[in-house]
Amino acid sequence: MTNWPYPRWIAHRGAGKLAPENTLAALRVGASHGYRMFECDVKLSADDVPFLMHDASLQRTTSGHGVGGDKAWAELSMLDAGGWHSRGFAGEPLPTFESIARYCLHNRYMLNIEIKPTPGSAERTGKVVARRAAELWQPTDVPPLLTSFEPDALAAARDAAPDLPRGLLLDTPHPDWLVTAQRLGCVAIVCNHALWDRHTVASAQAAGMRTLSYTVNDEWAAERLLALGTDGIITDRVDLFSPLA
């Protein structure tokens, strides 16, 4: 993408830790701090409904138990996805991807959709999520950015919705990171912020890639990334960093 349409600052999982992650409430809290782009995790229910949740298991962020991807949406929709965070958010439901998409579209917010497959479902998740995203965002000026740690999910997303921009997520260094991103037709590399240095930034930019970082919650880390000339910073600290900086 020669004309990069996304802001530098992106709110992680909606509003980081100020609200229950990956919920509509979290996006609203992030928006109240001035953020206009949000990162979220999307996976599939057993009956192929895309919904927001990070973990494969339900226990940490919902009132449920077991693997989320093994449950039908009718069961998942009844869970409390807010009470674990604080009493003020008790009863907050798990959101469907469609409900989050429509909230963003109505308010002209932008979205970084991390495709987060339940283990063993990378290709199916990439295909379904990308296809639904293409349907929801057609036509719009700024498409969502699809990212994943799973090359198979990104390949399926590319085949299902080739016009949507993609980014490869990296948590640890490996020698083929740039070749993999190019093979998948990515426009961005989204790294654990510690992986960026002058050499890796220069290599990505020379290949025409944008450089994004997660999860940046300290001022010293943000200042280092700004000095390196990176393009995007994903943060939990929507209360600390101004999205206008």
Side-chain angles (χ1 to χ4, degrees):
M1 300 178 75
T2 54
N3 182 24
W4 186 249
Y6 307 110
R8 183 184 300 276
W9 293 94
I10 304 165
H12 187 229
R13 301 182 193 172
K17 301 183 184 303
L18 298 183
E21 64 184 59
N22 283 313
T23 63
L24 182 55
L27 269 68
R28 286 176 169 150
V29 171
S32 75
H33 285 79
Y35 278 72
R36 293 297 178 266
M37 185 168 182
F38 306 97
E39 184 267 357
C40 65
D41 303 289
V42 181
K43 51 176 25 79
L44 297 181
S45 67
D47 48 348
D48 281 354
V49 176
F51 71 100
L52 270 62
M53 196 173 72
H54 178 273
D55 298 4
S57 61
L58 294 163
Q59 288 91 316
R60 182 176 68 86
T61 58
T62 80
S63 57
H65 298 277
V67 176
D70 291 345
K71 315 284 186 183
W73 176 247
E75 180 178 352
L76 294 169
S77 67
M78 301 300 292
L79 299 177
D80 175 4
W84 68 273
H85 180 275
S86 55
R87 291 177 66 182
F89 291 107
E92 181 72 19
L94 280 171
T96 63
F97 170 52
E98 180 166 345
S99 68
I100 292 298
R102 294 196 183 282
Y103 171 76
C104 289
L105 287 164
H106 283 310
N107 290 284
R108 300 185 67 82
Y109 298 149
M110 288 163 274
L111 206 58
N112 168 196
I113 302 162
E114 180 181 341
I115 302 169
K116 199 78 174 179
T118 300
S121 66
E123 291 185 15
R124 181 167 62 96
T125 306
K127 175 183 177 180
V128 173
V129 172
R131 183 172 292 169
R132 190 67 185 118
E135 292 168 352
L136 288 163
W137 266 267
Q138 179 63 37
T140 54
D141 294 334
V142 182
L145 175 65
L146 305 180
T147 60
S148 186
F149 289 101
E150 301 274 356
D152 288 346
L154 284 176
R158 175 199 61 202
D159 295 344
D163 292 336
L164 293 183
R166 294 171 299 282
L168 177 65
L169 275 158
L170 298 171
D171 188 48
T172 56
H174 64 81
D176 297 329
W177 62 276
L178 192 53
V179 171
T180 300
Q182 291 173 316
R183 175 175 59 81
L184 293 167
C186 292
V187 299
I189 305 290
V190 188
C191 276
N192 180 320
H193 67 89
L195 298 182
W196 288 124
D197 56 29
R198 295 196 181 280
H199 172 70
T200 52
V201 169
S203 297
Q205 291 178 343
M209 304 279 178
R210 298 289 179 154
T211 52
L212 285 73
S213 305
Y214 71 90
T215 305
V216 182
N217 294 331
D218 298 298
E219 290 183 283
W220 65 264
E223 290 169 0
R224 188 182 80 88
L225 294 164
L226 292 171
L228 285 171
T230 60
D231 299 291
I233 296 176
I234 301 170
T235 183
D236 291 318
R237 293 301 309 274
V238 299
D239 55 334
L240 173 64
F241 296 116
S242 168
L244 302 178

